[in-house]
Amino acid sequence: MPPLHPTQVLPGCSAVPALPTGPAAQKRPEALPPLSLLPPDPAEPDPRPRPRPRRARRPAAPTRPAGERARPRAPPRAPPRAAGRRSRGGAGPGCSRPRGAASVPARALRPPGPARPPQRGRAMSLVAEAFMNQLAAAEPWPENAALYQQLKEDQILLSDNASSLAVQAFLQMCNLPVRVVCRANAEYMSPSGKVPFIHVGNQVVSELGPIVQFVKAKGHSLSDGLDEVQKAEMKAYMELVNNMLLTAELYLQWCDDVTVEEITHPRYGSPYPWPLNRILAYQKQWEIRRKMKAIGWAGKSLEQVLEDVDQCCQALSQRLGTQPYFFNKQPTELDALVFGHLFTILTTQLTTDELSEKVKNYGNLTAFCRRIEQQYFEGHDKDNSGTAAPRSAKRSLLR
Amino acid sequence: MAAPMELFCWAGGWGLPSVDPDCLAVLTYARFTGAPLKVHRVSSPWRSPSGRLPALKTRDEGTISKTQQIITHLRKQKYNADYDLSATQGADTLAFVSLLEEKLLPVLIHTFWVDAKNYVEHTRKWYAETIPFPLNFFLPNCMHKQHVERLQLMWGDGYMEDEEKLEKELYRDARECLTLLSQRLGSQKFFFGDSPASLDAFVFSRLAPLLKAKLPNGKLQQHLKSLQNLCNYCTSILSLYFPWDGGEMHPQPHTAPLGCPPQKKKKKHHETQHWCLAALCSPQVTSPPVPRGLGVPRVATQRRTPTSGATSCCRCWWGWQPCWATPS
């Protein structure tokens, strides 16, 4: 890697002053940067009834704002129409959780009224799905597209925030407006059980890979300009990020005992009342640990995991070199994915700084994060003074 | 080094030096670098000092069983296939290995171990014929269960039952991965020019079994065969680096029916004479009664598997399996 000292690269970066841990940062164990975050607008109530957490006996704590949203760059034009359509559509994508299918028509997400005949329904639904997909592909990107994720302040975890940020960055790069909606039960709303997912027209798509394909079907693609070898390399590096950074984040938040106790369990269970918060958190922890065992990470120590992260960052740093983006001048989905993960790692306060220190060793990567943030996320921060406070809060977190 | 390191890996078959992708990766890497290894091709993981395969027995660091760690160890011993690569190429290696592990390997495991037709008619057949007597009744099933469980954890529950989704998403990803590899390779001899690197060992070890196995249900295989440069790549590595393995162990790898044990075993003996004594002492040779017809392929009582000699094989590789079947 080019031996750039962080302070050399970062002076222009207002977000990364070498501050000591601020009191605010110490107080909150895992505070996440309110990226492109507008305060909830009381004049425009959320048209949807807020879905309850499916397994909770009572709804989440009432102190939380009903819906935080990020305004897209393009001015949202037609909320009334959106509201009307959604209210006709019924409960929205929130309530049932068929696992699996990455892209399902939103209609399928509603609790089915009369039971569908399974056998006939399958062939029918295949045809219908293909038809709907075609229809959806033909439709332009709607103004009321929404991205769902967990509550930003109290609930979302490192890995989910990284994935969500990657999708937001990708859609921003495609210049597609999307509204960020925070829901305590986002995980249970998602068709694949993974966060984030987007609700576009009558389709619900989760995770970056399927979203990229979905957006491509609508005629927006970031990687069309690449030749075949570059495309292969791009896919390979995306897998590298998923394989190493994402797994390391999961390891840290579910297998490192200190982090689990101090951050993961309180945050993960925050929307639920007492016995449930522990039960759900332990259930999830058990699931992730089994997964780690299956991929051979269970026996690793924290040092080894950090070593892997370092190796991954080194590879990314090498690949990036001095270019503005991974493949020359144009951003691709790889840039979005890398940005999502690195930015989240850099700006999240964990029990120790070891993880973010690993990334900060690579000057070109931090500069890369800074650049993408400025270009794609700061534009609409300026037009609203309400974000001043969250942004300064973030500054204290970025050290 | 006075005493060479010893490598334990699965026996060869299907025209390959070893049937297991991980073992094949280590073997190929060792061949690329010319590391002096004493290779034990064993027919049961219980014969490995660590209870797993592959395993590298070193003098100073004990036994290493993870593919990546073995390669790292070899690299530390100055057997480095990536010595000439630039830093960017090193980064590419890491990225493509991740691509293989994430997209191709799980589907490969599914093809060989979970797909019912392939598993029953091909994989289990080979393992049941190769593994020595009492173990052959349950080891293949245990391995099957282990692989199924692993995939279930990796993919989530929904995928294993839903054939259509499996085909639509995961197999499509795997085919895409093969296509990407083919595009990346282009017309080069190896991935980074004219000399092989560790990435080549990984790619070869994942592709070669798929190419060489005669799978009854060869969806993925067909796609690989349509990518001519990857096929040529595999066959050229086989002929360049494993000429005698293919030749000696499997006189007619292409024409012989799958696993014709007596022939194979005799050939293997020549290669591994130094284990004969140990093998003779091992109860596997002397004891097994003829299994009653349980639908399990024939067990060759005269089959002597090369063993590791003094290091006994009483290890429970499968956590819950009793030790009753092994000598102490």
Side-chain angles (χ1 to χ4, degrees):
Chain A
M1 63 153 283
L4 289 172
H5 193 268
T7 49
Q8 272 183 316
V9 188
L10 300 174
C13 309
S14 59
V16 199
L19 282 180
T21 320
Q26 278 178 338
K27 198 170 59 194
R28 205 165 49 205
E30 190 190 31
L32 289 158
L35 251 194
S36 64
L37 179 73
L38 299 187
D41 187 358
E44 185 196 326
D46 197 314
R48 247 162 304 192
R50 179 135 180 252
R52 292 169 163 235
R54 197 164 140 243
R55 298 195 218 162
R57 277 182 306 173
R58 61 184 168 88
T63 51
R64 218 159 291 113
E68 303 174 51
R69 62 197 52 189
R71 187 160 297 158
R73 287 160 110 196
R77 267 197 301 260
R81 191 178 129 242
R85 184 193 281 184
R86 242 183 266 120
S87 61
R88 270 205 311 278
C95 301
S96 83
R97 181 203 184 187
R99 277 191 149 268
S103 157
V104 289
R107 198 167 296 175
L109 283 182
R110 254 177 277 134
R116 278 177 301 177
Q119 284 308 320
R120 194 171 59 97
R122 186 164 183 176
M124 286 285 287
S125 76
L126 260 183
V127 176
E129 196 182 323
F131 181 66
M132 302 259 283
N133 280 343
Q134 271 200 338
L135 269 186
E139 273 179 17
W141 189 263
E143 293 291 343
N144 64 338
L147 180 143
Y148 287 79
Q149 62 168 41
Q150 290 105 328
L151 305 178
K152 214 170 249 192
E153 293 295 330
D154 305 328
Q155 188 194 13
I156 198 167
L157 298 174
L158 187 64
S159 59
D160 291 333
N161 194 66
S163 310
S164 175
L165 198 53
V167 172
Q168 288 174 46
F170 172 72
L171 294 175
Q172 288 287 349
M173 286 169 179
C174 293
N175 212 0
L176 298 170
V178 69
R179 203 163 51 97
V180 179
V181 182
C182 298
R183 287 277 185 274
N185 62 343
E187 192 185 341
Y188 302 106
M189 289 160 73
S190 165
S192 66
K194 294 199 177 129
V195 174
F197 64 99
I198 55 170
H199 178 204
V200 178
N202 56 0
Q203 300 260 314
V204 177
V205 192
S206 70
E207 294 180 79
L208 183 63
I211 288 175
V212 169
Q213 284 173 1
F214 175 77
V215 167
K216 194 175 180 184
K218 285 195 178 296
H220 305 271
S221 175
L222 293 177
S223 49
D224 276 348
L226 305 182
D227 63 33
E228 289 187 333
V229 174
Q230 283 178 323
K231 267 185 196 163
E233 286 172 352
M234 186 190 76
K235 289 264 163 61
Y237 276 90
M238 288 179 76
E239 286 314 320
L240 172 70
V241 173
N242 283 334
N243 190 9
M244 287 212 173
L245 280 187
L246 182 64
T247 318
E249 287 163 7
L250 286 173
Y251 178 94
L252 193 71
Q253 73 193 20
W254 290 109
C255 302
D256 175 46
D257 290 329
V258 182
T259 317
V260 168
E261 261 324 294
E262 291 187 13
I263 295 174
T264 312
H265 275 217
R267 283 183 72 91
Y268 188 82
S270 65
Y272 309 108
W274 166 65
L276 194 60
N277 56 1
R278 304 300 285 180
I279 295 170
L280 288 181
Y282 274 114
Q283 200 182 9
K284 181 82 178 174
Q285 180 180 349
W286 189 69
E287 187 189 316
I288 299 281
R289 286 197 177 183
R290 274 178 43 128
K291 203 172 271 183
M292 290 289 163
K293 214 171 170 183
I295 57 173
W297 277 53
K300 285 193 181 183
S301 67
L302 188 60
E303 283 71 36
Q304 281 171 315
V305 171
L306 292 172
E307 189 59 36
D308 282 351
V309 171
D310 192 51
Q311 215 182 357
C312 174
C313 289
Q314 192 181 359
L316 290 173
S317 169
Q318 278 298 342
R319 178 77 220 184
L320 183 64
T322 54
Q323 306 173 102
Y325 297 109
F326 277 91
F327 294 96
N328 297 326
K329 300 256 160 39
Q330 290 301 314
T332 58
E333 47 258 40
L334 172 64
D335 297 277
L337 183 67
V338 172
F339 167 75
H341 282 275
L342 294 187
F343 189 86
T344 307
I345 290 176
L346 282 172
T347 54
T348 304
Q349 180 78 33
L350 295 169
T351 48
T352 62
D353 297 332
E354 285 162 324
L355 190 62
S356 54
E357 287 302 326
K358 292 283 178 211
V359 180
K360 280 181 194 164
N361 287 336
Y362 300 95
N364 59 346
L365 291 182
T366 45
F368 166 83
C369 288
R370 182 72 200 131
R371 198 160 48 235
I372 291 194
E373 191 208 0
Q374 272 174 342
Q375 194 158 357
Y376 293 101
F377 289 95
E378 274 182 3
H380 38 83
D381 276 4
K382 282 175 199 150
D383 58 13
N384 192 307
S385 55
T387 49
R391 284 202 57 74
S392 62
K394 181 173 71 187
R395 271 185 210 123
S396 70
L397 294 177
L398 268 169
R399 285 165 311 128
Chain B
M1 293 210 346
M5 294 169 280
E6 296 180 48
L7 178 70
F8 295 80
C9 59
W10 271 105
W14 315 335
L16 298 171
S18 175
V19 293
D20 180 71
D22 284 334
C23 299
L24 193 55
V26 176
L27 266 182
T28 316
Y29 185 86
R31 274 293 147 75
F32 284 168
T33 54
L37 291 181
K38 199 158 125 194
V39 178
H40 303 237
R41 291 205 176 80
V42 298
S43 55
S44 151
W46 294 26
R47 306 226 167 251
S48 148
S50 69
R52 288 159 199 271
L53 295 171
L56 184 73
K57 204 162 129 196
T58 58
R59 279 199 310 167
D60 23 343
E61 287 187 41
T63 307
I64 313 173
S65 315
K66 281 195 177 148
T67 317
Q68 199 53 259
Q69 285 173 1
I70 293 179
I71 288 183
T72 314
H73 181 84
L74 290 177
R75 194 171 294 164
K76 274 191 217 149
Q77 308 283 322
K78 310 277 182 290
Y79 300 107
N80 187 352
D82 298 339
Y83 190 73
D84 295 328
L85 297 190
S86 70
T88 318
Q89 286 173 327
D92 283 358
T93 302
L94 208 59
F96 276 94
V97 170
S98 297
L99 180 70
L100 282 176
E101 302 295 299
E102 288 271 309
K103 295 286 180 206
L104 188 63
L105 189 61
V107 177
L108 217 55
I109 291 176
H110 186 271
T111 303
F112 276 90
W113 286 97
V114 184
D115 182 279
K117 209 162 180 220
N118 285 345
Y119 170 61
V120 172
E121 292 178 22
H122 180 262
T123 313
R124 189 174 69 183
K125 184 163 175 270
W126 187 87
Y127 279 93
E129 282 175 0
T130 309
I131 295 172
F133 160 62
L135 300 181
N136 62 346
F137 286 104
F138 57 89
L139 267 192
N141 273 334
C142 292
M143 294 169 77
H144 166 74
K145 270 185 204 150
Q146 211 191 29
H147 286 304
V148 169
E149 197 184 352
R150 185 173 159 200
L151 291 187
Q152 246 162 7
L153 286 172
M154 284 170 88
W155 290 339
D157 303 327
Y159 282 93
M160 302 298 279
E161 287 84 39
D162 194 342
E163 289 259 330
E164 176 200 320
K165 206 191 304 170
L166 193 76
E167 167 60 29
K168 238 171 98 179
E169 293 177 25
L170 300 168
Y171 272 81
R172 193 203 56 210
D173 281 353
R175 282 196 295 270
E176 192 195 359
C177 171
L178 290 177
T179 314
L180 293 175
L181 286 175
S182 160
Q183 284 164 355
R184 176 65 181 76
L185 181 66
S187 55
Q188 299 176 93
K189 196 173 171 203
F190 296 104
F191 272 85
F192 299 112
D194 283 337
S195 55
S198 63
L199 177 59
D200 295 286
F202 273 102
V203 174
F204 169 76
S205 67
R206 284 1 173 196
L207 298 187
L210 190 60
L211 188 69
K212 287 288 175 183
K214 293 186 172 56
L215 297 171
N217 183 1
K219 285 176 292 183
L220 196 59
Q221 196 172 33
Q222 301 240 306
H223 185 76
L224 175 59
K225 283 185 176 160
S226 72
L227 300 167
Q228 202 51 52
N229 61 345
L230 284 185
C231 298
N232 293 343
Y233 169 81
C234 288
T235 36
S236 84
I237 290 186
L238 261 185
S239 59
L240 273 175
Y241 291 93
F242 299 101
W244 54 91
D245 283 306
E248 194 179 340
M249 288 170 62
H250 311 287
Q252 306 124 335
H254 294 288
T255 52
L258 278 180
C260 32
Q263 253 189 357
K264 219 191 310 183
K265 281 301 151 182
K266 272 173 203 158
K267 295 286 179 190
K268 208 179 272 175
H269 254 318
H270 292 300
E271 208 181 42
T272 56
Q273 296 147 350
H274 48 289
W275 293 301
C276 281
L277 257 179
L280 277 167
C281 305
S282 124
Q284 254 85 355
V285 188
T286 52
S287 68
V290 182
R292 284 160 297 166
L294 287 175
V296 173
R298 189 177 76 81
V299 182
T301 45
Q302 75 275 21
R303 182 179 303 169
R304 292 162 199 172
T305 26
T307 72
S308 56
T311 51
S312 97
C313 46
C314 181
R315 311 263 172 174
C316 293
W317 192 40
W318 312 104
W320 51 271
Q321 285 296 341
C323 284
W324 56 267
T326 40
S328 50

